[in-house]
Amino acid sequence: MAAAPSLRPCKADAPRYLPIAEHGLIGDLRTSALVGTNGTIDWYCPVRFDAPSVFAAILDADRGGSFELAADVPARTKQFYFPDTNILITRFFADDGVGEVQDFMPVVDDSREADRHRLIRRVLCVRGSLPFVARIAPRFDYGRASHTVRAQEGHTVFESPGLSLALTSSVTVETDGQDAIATFKLAEGEAAVFALDRIGGTVQPRTCPLTEAEDLFDATVRYWRRWISQSRYRGRWREMVHRSALTLKLLTYAPTGAIVAAPTASLPEQVGGERNWDYRYVWIRDAAFCIYALLRLGFTQEAEAFVRFLSENVHLRKGPSGPLQIMYGIDGRSELPEQELRHLEGHLGSAPVRIGNAAVNQLQLDIYGALVDSLYLYDKWGQPLASEHWDTLCGLVDWVCENWDQPDMSVWETRAGPQRFLYSQLMCWVAIERAMRIARRRGLPADMPRWSHARDTIYRRIMERGWSPKRRAFVQREGEHVLDASVLMMPLAKFISPTDPKWLSTLDALGEELVSDSLVYRYDPRVSPDGLRGEEGTFSICSFWYVEALSRAGRVDDARLAFEKMLTYANHVGLYAEEIGRTGEQLGNFPQAFTHLALISAAFNLDKALG
């Protein structure tokens, strides 16, 4: 089911904040930008995903900075992706003409030109004539750093202490205080170009003529189409699956092979609430699940790159939170200090705005299962694991055998203290079981008696203490009767038969308590306090897990209806944030890798069930 295009008024009575869902994403495999349906770039961190922003109006309409580019007359807008690419088009419909802005970042090789980090905005008039206005208003270092602006040999240069940007344009640009502005009119068939480059060192300002912009547009189209053509998916929901794959690719950091959980920071899980986090890092869990989804589609190079990221950047350690951190910087760094940006008001007043992430040192045992499962699939569908990787994996599994029954924070990163979560024990079982599969298939050395004993002990513990006779369901943690959507992974991970009576009873209980018209809450904070105030929306990855669990249980008609309903909650270009609010709005960081990888998995399994 294709998402409906966005069609909304432009400029007149425009709100201070566009809804999160009213954006598309562009990127160059190093960083990305959000472009609103009004033609404004209101999130952009030059150079790399986790760099300080220069456009962050989505977090503060007054102090965040933006790059506005729109028709200078009342107009309606429609936004869509150029087919099978990550080039975004925002079209303006006015009384006297139709124009469009084509936004993209050229994908370049590892040469010095990659350091330019060019963002191109091509403006075309396709019918009649249309006036346009542009305002380029960078606010460096999340709006904390001052900058100067000056005209220099046909360029407009914005300089701050830590970063300089050069704007080149085929139309006249004038400075206006700290900003730059341009007004121009295009007749049918005419075009204009704006290019914003990071400069400094060996990268000097460079013009971007119309012909060069057109050549870069064509080259970028070829890159994305060549990449998506490798997909093996031929099922019923090809358009949505391929959009999700293209989105996951946008979230990869090419220099290291890292995959970020989302390209944004501090977009709220509840408008006006405090559940605002920075997701521009590599979560071992999220990245491992991404590898699973991309491998299913046939993209083995991304899996190879992520394994290389692990081997080159992630070093095992000793300590109470285990040999692995739950997340790392995109360059492998381990320190991600969390801080609040009190000068920013937050999206729709949702404070505090946070960068960095204090959850980095939490113990989350489930990451070992996600990682080993992805390595098992890589070994099976990609390349056989190297001997040094196997030695490292064995060390991780040995540690899991010793520590699987520790209380931890688990998959949802609660801040209410460690508990013995069923999901964490389940994924420890997965870590050991998948390692045993690799060892048996490849004939690799392993302490099989020890691993087998630990695996079976975990299984019996979950079946005995994770089952609530009172609820007739598997529950969130030992000694409680609280439901949690993370248990949907039990049949998906092949821990329990999807038609086991205990599982079917659990599925019914989840449907009654946590499911709302196909949308699934991860848990109820009122009965399972997580250390934070406020409520949250339904968790979209759980909604797709629910679809997959239904299809595996043989409830194929229910699964298809739930899946089709979930597709209607995508935004106009097929993107999902982390959560969906009570009135259908997208909430949380956007777009969210977790959601898109779960969509791919659900589509695959539902296609298989439907035959």
Side-chain angles (χ1 to χ4, degrees), residues 240 244 488 492 518 520 539-551 562-567 576 594-603:
M240 291 300 291
S244 289
L488 287 164
L492 277 55
S518 82
V520 182
F539 221 68
S540 293
I541 187 174
C542 297
S543 300
F544 286 119
W545 284 350
Y546 183 59
V547 169
E548 193 165 342
L550 287 171
S551 65
F563 187 71
E564 294 280 5
K565 283 183 176 180
M566 266 303 293
L567 295 186
Y576 290 88
F594 236 179
T595 306
H596 286 278
L597 64 91
L599 183 155
I600 292 171
S601 182

PDB file of all heavy atoms in Angstrom, residues 240 244 488 492 518 520 539-551 562-567 576 594-603:
ATOM      1  N   MET A 240       6.986  -0.278  -0.198  1.00  0.00           N
ATOM      2  CA  MET A 240       7.261   0.062   1.205  1.00  0.00           C
ATOM      3  C   MET A 240       8.523  -0.629   1.710  1.00  0.00           C
ATOM      4  O   MET A 240       9.290  -0.047   2.486  1.00  0.00           O
ATOM      5  CB  MET A 240       6.063  -0.315   2.066  1.00  0.00           C
ATOM      6  CG  MET A 240       4.840   0.553   1.820  1.00  0.00           C
ATOM      7  SD  MET A 240       5.131   2.318   2.152  1.00  0.00           S
ATOM      8  CE  MET A 240       5.302   2.293   3.940  1.00  0.00           C
ATOM      9  N   SER A 244      11.892   1.304   2.959  1.00  0.00           N
ATOM     10  CA  SER A 244      12.521   1.025   4.250  1.00  0.00           C
ATOM     11  C   SER A 244      13.988   0.665   4.071  1.00  0.00           C
ATOM     12  O   SER A 244      14.849   1.091   4.859  1.00  0.00           O
ATOM     13  CB  SER A 244      11.782  -0.118   4.952  1.00  0.00           C
ATOM     14  OG  SER A 244      10.505   0.306   5.391  1.00  0.00           O
ATOM     15  N   LEU A 488       6.937 -10.714  22.261  1.00  0.00           N
ATOM     16  CA  LEU A 488       6.585 -11.094  20.892  1.00  0.00           C
ATOM     17  C   LEU A 488       7.768 -11.704  20.153  1.00  0.00           C
ATOM     18  O   LEU A 488       7.585 -12.412  19.148  1.00  0.00           O
ATOM     19  CB  LEU A 488       6.073  -9.872  20.124  1.00  0.00           C
ATOM     20  CG  LEU A 488       4.671  -9.368  20.498  1.00  0.00           C
ATOM     21  CD1 LEU A 488       4.451  -7.951  19.970  1.00  0.00           C
ATOM     22  CD2 LEU A 488       3.602 -10.313  19.959  1.00  0.00           C
ATOM     23  N   LEU A 492       9.505 -15.438  17.233  1.00  0.00           N
ATOM     24  CA  LEU A 492      10.331 -14.928  16.148  1.00  0.00           C
ATOM     25  C   LEU A 492      11.768 -15.409  16.287  1.00  0.00           C
ATOM     26  O   LEU A 492      12.458 -15.650  15.286  1.00  0.00           O
ATOM     27  CB  LEU A 492      10.293 -13.395  16.125  1.00  0.00           C
ATOM     28  CG  LEU A 492       9.115 -12.722  15.411  1.00  0.00           C
ATOM     29  CD1 LEU A 492       7.762 -13.182  15.937  1.00  0.00           C
ATOM     30  CD2 LEU A 492       9.227 -11.198  15.506  1.00  0.00           C
ATOM     31  N   SER A 518      -4.461  -2.511  15.916  1.00  0.00           N
ATOM     32  CA  SER A 518      -3.216  -2.978  15.286  1.00  0.00           C
ATOM     33  C   SER A 518      -1.970  -2.301  15.842  1.00  0.00           C
ATOM     34  O   SER A 518      -0.847  -2.762  15.585  1.00  0.00           O
ATOM     35  CB  SER A 518      -3.231  -2.823  13.757  1.00  0.00           C
ATOM     36  OG  SER A 518      -2.889  -1.508  13.352  1.00  0.00           O
ATOM     37  N   VAL A 520       0.623  -1.272  18.829  1.00  0.00           N
ATOM     38  CA  VAL A 520       1.014  -2.008  20.033  1.00  0.00           C
ATOM     39  C   VAL A 520       1.835  -1.110  20.962  1.00  0.00           C
ATOM     40  O   VAL A 520       2.848  -0.529  20.547  1.00  0.00           O
ATOM     41  CB  VAL A 520       1.816  -3.270  19.665  1.00  0.00           C
ATOM     42  CG1 VAL A 520       2.180  -4.053  20.921  1.00  0.00           C
ATOM     43  CG2 VAL A 520       1.011  -4.155  18.701  1.00  0.00           C
ATOM     44  N   PHE A 539       4.460   1.679  20.151  1.00  0.00           N
ATOM     45  CA  PHE A 539       5.827   1.487  19.685  1.00  0.00           C
ATOM     46  C   PHE A 539       5.785   0.731  18.364  1.00  0.00           C
ATOM     47  O   PHE A 539       5.380  -0.421  18.306  1.00  0.00           O
ATOM     48  CB  PHE A 539       6.619   0.710  20.743  1.00  0.00           C
ATOM     49  CG  PHE A 539       8.009   1.221  20.934  1.00  0.00           C
ATOM     50  CD1 PHE A 539       8.226   2.467  21.490  1.00  0.00           C
ATOM     51  CD2 PHE A 539       9.104   0.464  20.553  1.00  0.00           C
ATOM     52  CE1 PHE A 539       9.516   2.943  21.673  1.00  0.00           C
ATOM     53  CE2 PHE A 539      10.395   0.933  20.727  1.00  0.00           C
ATOM     54  CZ  PHE A 539      10.605   2.176  21.287  1.00  0.00           C
ATOM     55  N   SER A 540       6.241   1.367  17.305  1.00  0.00           N
ATOM     56  CA  SER A 540       5.989   0.830  15.967  1.00  0.00           C
ATOM     57  C   SER A 540       6.713  -0.479  15.692  1.00  0.00           C
ATOM     58  O   SER A 540       6.193  -1.331  14.963  1.00  0.00           O
ATOM     59  CB  SER A 540       6.347   1.877  14.908  1.00  0.00           C
ATOM     60  OG  SER A 540       5.443   2.969  14.991  1.00  0.00           O
ATOM     61  N   ILE A 541       7.903  -0.682  16.254  1.00  0.00           N
ATOM     62  CA  ILE A 541       8.557  -1.972  16.036  1.00  0.00           C
ATOM     63  C   ILE A 541       7.714  -3.095  16.638  1.00  0.00           C
ATOM     64  O   ILE A 541       7.598  -4.182  16.063  1.00  0.00           O
ATOM     65  CB  ILE A 541       9.993  -2.000  16.608  1.00  0.00           C
ATOM     66  CG1 ILE A 541      10.693  -3.302  16.196  1.00  0.00           C
ATOM     67  CG2 ILE A 541      10.014  -1.825  18.121  1.00  0.00           C
ATOM     68  CD1 ILE A 541      12.139  -3.366  16.588  1.00  0.00           C
ATOM     69  N   CYS A 542       7.067  -2.827  17.780  1.00  0.00           N
ATOM     70  CA  CYS A 542       6.219  -3.839  18.410  1.00  0.00           C
ATOM     71  C   CYS A 542       5.003  -4.150  17.541  1.00  0.00           C
ATOM     72  O   CYS A 542       4.542  -5.299  17.491  1.00  0.00           O
ATOM     73  CB  CYS A 542       5.769  -3.362  19.789  1.00  0.00           C
ATOM     74  SG  CYS A 542       7.120  -3.110  20.954  1.00  0.00           S
ATOM     75  N   SER A 543       4.495  -3.144  16.852  1.00  0.00           N
ATOM     76  CA  SER A 543       3.349  -3.368  15.969  1.00  0.00           C
ATOM     77  C   SER A 543       3.723  -4.315  14.835  1.00  0.00           C
ATOM     78  O   SER A 543       2.935  -5.192  14.454  1.00  0.00           O
ATOM     79  CB  SER A 543       2.842  -2.038  15.410  1.00  0.00           C
ATOM     80  OG  SER A 543       2.430  -1.178  16.456  1.00  0.00           O
ATOM     81  N   PHE A 544       4.936  -4.158  14.296  1.00  0.00           N
ATOM     82  CA  PHE A 544       5.369  -5.072  13.238  1.00  0.00           C
ATOM     83  C   PHE A 544       5.739  -6.446  13.794  1.00  0.00           C
ATOM     84  O   PHE A 544       5.537  -7.463  13.121  1.00  0.00           O
ATOM     85  CB  PHE A 544       6.518  -4.455  12.447  1.00  0.00           C
ATOM     86  CG  PHE A 544       6.089  -3.353  11.523  1.00  0.00           C
ATOM     87  CD1 PHE A 544       6.580  -2.065  11.680  1.00  0.00           C
ATOM     88  CD2 PHE A 544       5.179  -3.585  10.508  1.00  0.00           C
ATOM     89  CE1 PHE A 544       6.184  -1.039  10.827  1.00  0.00           C
ATOM     90  CE2 PHE A 544       4.769  -2.574   9.648  1.00  0.00           C
ATOM     91  CZ  PHE A 544       5.278  -1.292   9.813  1.00  0.00           C
ATOM     92  N   TRP A 545       6.277  -6.499  15.009  1.00  0.00           N
ATOM     93  CA  TRP A 545       6.496  -7.811  15.662  1.00  0.00           C
ATOM     94  C   TRP A 545       5.160  -8.540  15.828  1.00  0.00           C
ATOM     95  O   TRP A 545       5.081  -9.757  15.655  1.00  0.00           O
ATOM     96  CB  TRP A 545       7.136  -7.618  17.027  1.00  0.00           C
ATOM     97  CG  TRP A 545       8.589  -7.294  17.016  1.00  0.00           C
ATOM     98  CD1 TRP A 545       9.438  -7.332  15.962  1.00  0.00           C
ATOM     99  CD2 TRP A 545       9.379  -6.891  18.143  1.00  0.00           C
ATOM    100  NE1 TRP A 545      10.714  -6.974  16.345  1.00  0.00           N
ATOM    101  CE2 TRP A 545      10.697  -6.698  17.689  1.00  0.00           C
ATOM    102  CE3 TRP A 545       9.097  -6.658  19.485  1.00  0.00           C
ATOM    103  CZ2 TRP A 545      11.736  -6.300  18.532  1.00  0.00           C
ATOM    104  CZ3 TRP A 545      10.131  -6.263  20.328  1.00  0.00           C
ATOM    105  CH2 TRP A 545      11.425  -6.091  19.865  1.00  0.00           C
ATOM    106  N   TYR A 546       4.140  -7.791  16.183  1.00  0.00           N
ATOM    107  CA  TYR A 546       2.809  -8.375  16.374  1.00  0.00           C
ATOM    108  C   TYR A 546       2.290  -8.982  15.066  1.00  0.00           C
ATOM    109  O   TYR A 546       1.735 -10.086  15.052  1.00  0.00           O
ATOM    110  CB  TYR A 546       1.859  -7.296  16.886  1.00  0.00           C
ATOM    111  CG  TYR A 546       0.452  -7.751  17.206  1.00  0.00           C
ATOM    112  CD1 TYR A 546       0.217  -8.745  18.150  1.00  0.00           C
ATOM    113  CD2 TYR A 546      -0.638  -7.161  16.561  1.00  0.00           C
ATOM    114  CE1 TYR A 546      -1.088  -9.146  18.455  1.00  0.00           C
ATOM    115  CE2 TYR A 546      -1.936  -7.552  16.865  1.00  0.00           C
ATOM    116  CZ  TYR A 546      -2.153  -8.548  17.807  1.00  0.00           C
ATOM    117  OH  TYR A 546      -3.430  -8.944  18.107  1.00  0.00           O
ATOM    118  N   VAL A 547       2.490  -8.263  13.966  1.00  0.00           N
ATOM    119  CA  VAL A 547       2.103  -8.793  12.659  1.00  0.00           C
ATOM    120  C   VAL A 547       2.811 -10.114  12.393  1.00  0.00           C
ATOM    121  O   VAL A 547       2.195 -11.107  11.971  1.00  0.00           O
ATOM    122  CB  VAL A 547       2.449  -7.779  11.543  1.00  0.00           C
ATOM    123  CG1 VAL A 547       2.315  -8.419  10.162  1.00  0.00           C
ATOM    124  CG2 VAL A 547       1.571  -6.544  11.652  1.00  0.00           C
ATOM    125  N   GLU A 548       4.103 -10.147  12.657  1.00  0.00           N
ATOM    126  CA  GLU A 548       4.881 -11.361  12.383  1.00  0.00           C
ATOM    127  C   GLU A 548       4.458 -12.509  13.290  1.00  0.00           C
ATOM    128  O   GLU A 548       4.365 -13.664  12.854  1.00  0.00           O
ATOM    129  CB  GLU A 548       6.374 -11.054  12.535  1.00  0.00           C
ATOM    130  CG  GLU A 548       7.263 -12.132  11.972  1.00  0.00           C
ATOM    131  CD  GLU A 548       8.700 -11.688  11.790  1.00  0.00           C
ATOM    132  OE1 GLU A 548       8.971 -10.461  11.772  1.00  0.00           O
ATOM    133  OE2 GLU A 548       9.555 -12.575  11.656  1.00  0.00           O
ATOM    134  N   ALA A 549       4.182 -12.193  14.551  1.00  0.00           N
ATOM    135  CA  ALA A 549       3.731 -13.237  15.472  1.00  0.00           C
ATOM    136  C   ALA A 549       2.385 -13.809  15.043  1.00  0.00           C
ATOM    137  O   ALA A 549       2.151 -15.019  15.110  1.00  0.00           O
ATOM    138  CB  ALA A 549       3.652 -12.686  16.893  1.00  0.00           C
ATOM    139  N   LEU A 550       1.465 -12.944  14.588  1.00  0.00           N
ATOM    140  CA  LEU A 550       0.175 -13.409  14.108  1.00  0.00           C
ATOM    141  C   LEU A 550       0.331 -14.316  12.893  1.00  0.00           C
ATOM    142  O   LEU A 550      -0.307 -15.373  12.797  1.00  0.00           O
ATOM    143  CB  LEU A 550      -0.717 -12.220  13.745  1.00  0.00           C
ATOM    144  CG  LEU A 550      -1.303 -11.389  14.887  1.00  0.00           C
ATOM    145  CD1 LEU A 550      -1.969 -10.132  14.337  1.00  0.00           C
ATOM    146  CD2 LEU A 550      -2.313 -12.203  15.699  1.00  0.00           C
ATOM    147  N   SER A 551       1.172 -13.904  11.954  1.00  0.00           N
ATOM    148  CA  SER A 551       1.331 -14.706  10.738  1.00  0.00           C
ATOM    149  C   SER A 551       1.966 -16.050  11.053  1.00  0.00           C
ATOM    150  O   SER A 551       1.559 -17.087  10.503  1.00  0.00           O
ATOM    151  CB  SER A 551       2.164 -13.945   9.698  1.00  0.00           C
ATOM    152  OG  SER A 551       3.486 -13.738  10.146  1.00  0.00           O
ATOM    153  N   ALA A 562      -3.601  -6.205  10.139  1.00  0.00           N
ATOM    154  CA  ALA A 562      -2.777  -5.392  11.037  1.00  0.00           C
ATOM    155  C   ALA A 562      -1.623  -4.742  10.273  1.00  0.00           C
ATOM    156  O   ALA A 562      -1.285  -3.564  10.506  1.00  0.00           O
ATOM    157  CB  ALA A 562      -2.239  -6.252  12.178  1.00  0.00           C
ATOM    158  N   PHE A 563      -1.022  -5.473   9.345  1.00  0.00           N
ATOM    159  CA  PHE A 563       0.093  -4.930   8.561  1.00  0.00           C
ATOM    160  C   PHE A 563      -0.385  -3.787   7.661  1.00  0.00           C
ATOM    161  O   PHE A 563       0.239  -2.717   7.611  1.00  0.00           O
ATOM    162  CB  PHE A 563       0.712  -6.046   7.726  1.00  0.00           C
ATOM    163  CG  PHE A 563       1.968  -5.628   7.000  1.00  0.00           C
ATOM    164  CD1 PHE A 563       3.143  -5.391   7.691  1.00  0.00           C
ATOM    165  CD2 PHE A 563       1.971  -5.485   5.615  1.00  0.00           C
ATOM    166  CE1 PHE A 563       4.305  -5.022   7.021  1.00  0.00           C
ATOM    167  CE2 PHE A 563       3.119  -5.113   4.939  1.00  0.00           C
ATOM    168  CZ  PHE A 563       4.290  -4.875   5.638  1.00  0.00           C
ATOM    169  N   GLU A 564      -1.483  -4.011   6.963  1.00  0.00           N
ATOM    170  CA  GLU A 564      -2.004  -2.975   6.074  1.00  0.00           C
ATOM    171  C   GLU A 564      -2.393  -1.719   6.863  1.00  0.00           C
ATOM    172  O   GLU A 564      -2.190  -0.589   6.407  1.00  0.00           O
ATOM    173  CB  GLU A 564      -3.214  -3.502   5.294  1.00  0.00           C
ATOM    174  CG  GLU A 564      -2.889  -4.623   4.311  1.00  0.00           C
ATOM    175  CD  GLU A 564      -2.296  -4.128   3.008  1.00  0.00           C
ATOM    176  OE1 GLU A 564      -2.050  -2.910   2.888  1.00  0.00           O
ATOM    177  OE2 GLU A 564      -2.071  -4.951   2.103  1.00  0.00           O
ATOM    178  N   LYS A 565      -2.951  -1.919   8.058  1.00  0.00           N
ATOM    179  CA  LYS A 565      -3.272  -0.757   8.890  1.00  0.00           C
ATOM    180  C   LYS A 565      -2.002  -0.004   9.279  1.00  0.00           C
ATOM    181  O   LYS A 565      -1.964   1.234   9.261  1.00  0.00           O
ATOM    182  CB  LYS A 565      -4.024  -1.207  10.144  1.00  0.00           C
ATOM    183  CG  LYS A 565      -5.487  -1.557   9.918  1.00  0.00           C
ATOM    184  CD  LYS A 565      -6.158  -1.910  11.242  1.00  0.00           C
ATOM    185  CE  LYS A 565      -7.647  -2.169  11.068  1.00  0.00           C
ATOM    186  NZ  LYS A 565      -8.305  -2.516  12.348  1.00  0.00           N
ATOM    187  N   MET A 566      -0.957  -0.749   9.649  1.00  0.00           N
ATOM    188  CA  MET A 566       0.293  -0.092  10.031  1.00  0.00           C
ATOM    189  C   MET A 566       0.868   0.719   8.881  1.00  0.00           C
ATOM    190  O   MET A 566       1.453   1.797   9.086  1.00  0.00           O
ATOM    191  CB  MET A 566       1.315  -1.128  10.500  1.00  0.00           C
ATOM    192  CG  MET A 566       1.341  -1.345  12.000  1.00  0.00           C
ATOM    193  SD  MET A 566       1.658   0.190  12.929  1.00  0.00           S
ATOM    194  CE  MET A 566       3.340   0.555  12.451  1.00  0.00           C
ATOM    195  N   LEU A 567       0.718   0.237   7.662  1.00  0.00           N
ATOM    196  CA  LEU A 567       1.246   0.977   6.521  1.00  0.00           C
ATOM    197  C   LEU A 567       0.571   2.333   6.373  1.00  0.00           C
ATOM    198  O   LEU A 567       1.181   3.290   5.887  1.00  0.00           O
ATOM    199  CB  LEU A 567       1.080   0.165   5.236  1.00  0.00           C
ATOM    200  CG  LEU A 567       1.876  -1.146   5.144  1.00  0.00           C
ATOM    201  CD1 LEU A 567       1.733  -1.759   3.759  1.00  0.00           C
ATOM    202  CD2 LEU A 567       3.354  -0.938   5.481  1.00  0.00           C
ATOM    203  N   TYR A 576       8.756   6.262   9.038  1.00  0.00           N
ATOM    204  CA  TYR A 576       8.187   6.099  10.376  1.00  0.00           C
ATOM    205  C   TYR A 576       9.141   6.655  11.424  1.00  0.00           C
ATOM    206  O   TYR A 576      10.356   6.464  11.352  1.00  0.00           O
ATOM    207  CB  TYR A 576       7.992   4.620  10.722  1.00  0.00           C
ATOM    208  CG  TYR A 576       6.907   3.902   9.975  1.00  0.00           C
ATOM    209  CD1 TYR A 576       7.177   3.301   8.753  1.00  0.00           C
ATOM    210  CD2 TYR A 576       5.618   3.796  10.488  1.00  0.00           C
ATOM    211  CE1 TYR A 576       6.190   2.609   8.062  1.00  0.00           C
ATOM    212  CE2 TYR A 576       4.624   3.105   9.811  1.00  0.00           C
ATOM    213  CZ  TYR A 576       4.921   2.519   8.600  1.00  0.00           C
ATOM    214  OH  TYR A 576       3.947   1.833   7.921  1.00  0.00           O
ATOM    215  N   PHE A 594      14.824   0.954  13.788  1.00  0.00           N
ATOM    216  CA  PHE A 594      14.108  -0.167  14.398  1.00  0.00           C
ATOM    217  C   PHE A 594      12.780  -0.439  13.685  1.00  0.00           C
ATOM    218  O   PHE A 594      12.432  -1.578  13.393  1.00  0.00           O
ATOM    219  CB  PHE A 594      13.833   0.168  15.868  1.00  0.00           C
ATOM    220  CG  PHE A 594      14.361  -0.855  16.842  1.00  0.00           C
ATOM    221  CD1 PHE A 594      14.190  -0.664  18.206  1.00  0.00           C
ATOM    222  CD2 PHE A 594      15.006  -2.001  16.428  1.00  0.00           C
ATOM    223  CE1 PHE A 594      14.662  -1.590  19.136  1.00  0.00           C
ATOM    224  CE2 PHE A 594      15.483  -2.934  17.340  1.00  0.00           C
ATOM    225  CZ  PHE A 594      15.308  -2.727  18.692  1.00  0.00           C
ATOM    226  N   THR A 595      12.028   0.626  13.430  1.00  0.00           N
ATOM    227  CA  THR A 595      10.715   0.466  12.815  1.00  0.00           C
ATOM    228  C   THR A 595      10.829  -0.068  11.397  1.00  0.00           C
ATOM    229  O   THR A 595      10.113  -0.992  10.998  1.00  0.00           O
ATOM    230  CB  THR A 595       9.969   1.808  12.809  1.00  0.00           C
ATOM    231  OG1 THR A 595       9.920   2.332  14.141  1.00  0.00           O
ATOM    232  CG2 THR A 595       8.559   1.643  12.280  1.00  0.00           C
ATOM    233  N   HIS A 596      11.746   0.487  10.625  1.00  0.00           N
ATOM    234  CA  HIS A 596      11.853   0.088   9.224  1.00  0.00           C
ATOM    235  C   HIS A 596      12.397  -1.324   9.055  1.00  0.00           C
ATOM    236  O   HIS A 596      11.973  -2.052   8.152  1.00  0.00           O
ATOM    237  CB  HIS A 596      12.700   1.109   8.467  1.00  0.00           C
ATOM    238  CG  HIS A 596      11.976   2.397   8.221  1.00  0.00           C
ATOM    239  ND1 HIS A 596      11.090   2.557   7.181  1.00  0.00           N
ATOM    240  CD2 HIS A 596      11.958   3.562   8.912  1.00  0.00           C
ATOM    241  CE1 HIS A 596      10.576   3.771   7.223  1.00  0.00           C
ATOM    242  NE2 HIS A 596      11.089   4.407   8.267  1.00  0.00           N
ATOM    243  N   LEU A 597      13.308  -1.742   9.916  1.00  0.00           N
ATOM    244  CA  LEU A 597      13.796  -3.113   9.798  1.00  0.00           C
ATOM    245  C   LEU A 597      12.706  -4.112  10.182  1.00  0.00           C
ATOM    246  O   LEU A 597      12.608  -5.201   9.596  1.00  0.00           O
ATOM    247  CB  LEU A 597      15.057  -3.317  10.644  1.00  0.00           C
ATOM    248  CG  LEU A 597      14.941  -3.179  12.162  1.00  0.00           C
ATOM    249  CD1 LEU A 597      14.631  -4.519  12.820  1.00  0.00           C
ATOM    250  CD2 LEU A 597      16.233  -2.616  12.732  1.00  0.00           C
ATOM    251  N   ALA A 598      11.859  -3.751  11.153  1.00  0.00           N
ATOM    252  CA  ALA A 598      10.764  -4.637  11.542  1.00  0.00           C
ATOM    253  C   ALA A 598       9.719  -4.724  10.436  1.00  0.00           C
ATOM    254  O   ALA A 598       9.108  -5.782  10.236  1.00  0.00           O
ATOM    255  CB  ALA A 598      10.124  -4.150  12.842  1.00  0.00           C
ATOM    256  N   LEU A 599       9.498  -3.625   9.713  1.00  0.00           N
ATOM    257  CA  LEU A 599       8.579  -3.655   8.575  1.00  0.00           C
ATOM    258  C   LEU A 599       9.073  -4.654   7.533  1.00  0.00           C
ATOM    259  O   LEU A 599       8.284  -5.454   6.996  1.00  0.00           O
ATOM    260  CB  LEU A 599       8.465  -2.258   7.965  1.00  0.00           C
ATOM    261  CG  LEU A 599       7.502  -2.059   6.796  1.00  0.00           C
ATOM    262  CD1 LEU A 599       7.044  -0.597   6.722  1.00  0.00           C
ATOM    263  CD2 LEU A 599       8.099  -2.447   5.444  1.00  0.00           C
ATOM    264  N   ILE A 600      10.378  -4.622   7.231  1.00  0.00           N
ATOM    265  CA  ILE A 600      10.944  -5.536   6.239  1.00  0.00           C
ATOM    266  C   ILE A 600      10.741  -6.989   6.667  1.00  0.00           C
ATOM    267  O   ILE A 600      10.295  -7.833   5.879  1.00  0.00           O
ATOM    268  CB  ILE A 600      12.438  -5.229   6.029  1.00  0.00           C
ATOM    269  CG1 ILE A 600      12.616  -3.869   5.355  1.00  0.00           C
ATOM    270  CG2 ILE A 600      13.108  -6.328   5.200  1.00  0.00           C
ATOM    271  CD1 ILE A 600      14.055  -3.379   5.311  1.00  0.00           C
ATOM    272  N   SER A 601      11.030  -7.286   7.920  1.00  0.00           N
ATOM    273  CA  SER A 601      10.891  -8.657   8.415  1.00  0.00           C
ATOM    274  C   SER A 601       9.433  -9.110   8.384  1.00  0.00           C
ATOM    275  O   SER A 601       9.124 -10.236   7.966  1.00  0.00           O
ATOM    276  CB  SER A 601      11.451  -8.750   9.836  1.00  0.00           C
ATOM    277  OG  SER A 601      11.369 -10.076  10.316  1.00  0.00           O
ATOM    278  N   ALA A 602       8.521  -8.235   8.804  1.00  0.00           N
ATOM    279  CA  ALA A 602       7.102  -8.584   8.812  1.00  0.00           C
ATOM    280  C   ALA A 602       6.597  -8.838   7.397  1.00  0.00           C
ATOM    281  O   ALA A 602       5.834  -9.786   7.151  1.00  0.00           O
ATOM    282  CB  ALA A 602       6.292  -7.484   9.479  1.00  0.00           C
ATOM    283  N   ALA A 603       7.013  -8.012   6.441  1.00  0.00           N
ATOM    284  CA  ALA A 603       6.585  -8.189   5.053  1.00  0.00           C
ATOM    285  C   ALA A 603       7.085  -9.518   4.498  1.00  0.00           C
ATOM    286  O   ALA A 603       6.340 -10.242   3.819  1.00  0.00           O
ATOM    287  CB  ALA A 603       7.089  -7.035   4.193  1.00  0.00           C
TER     288      ALA A 603
END
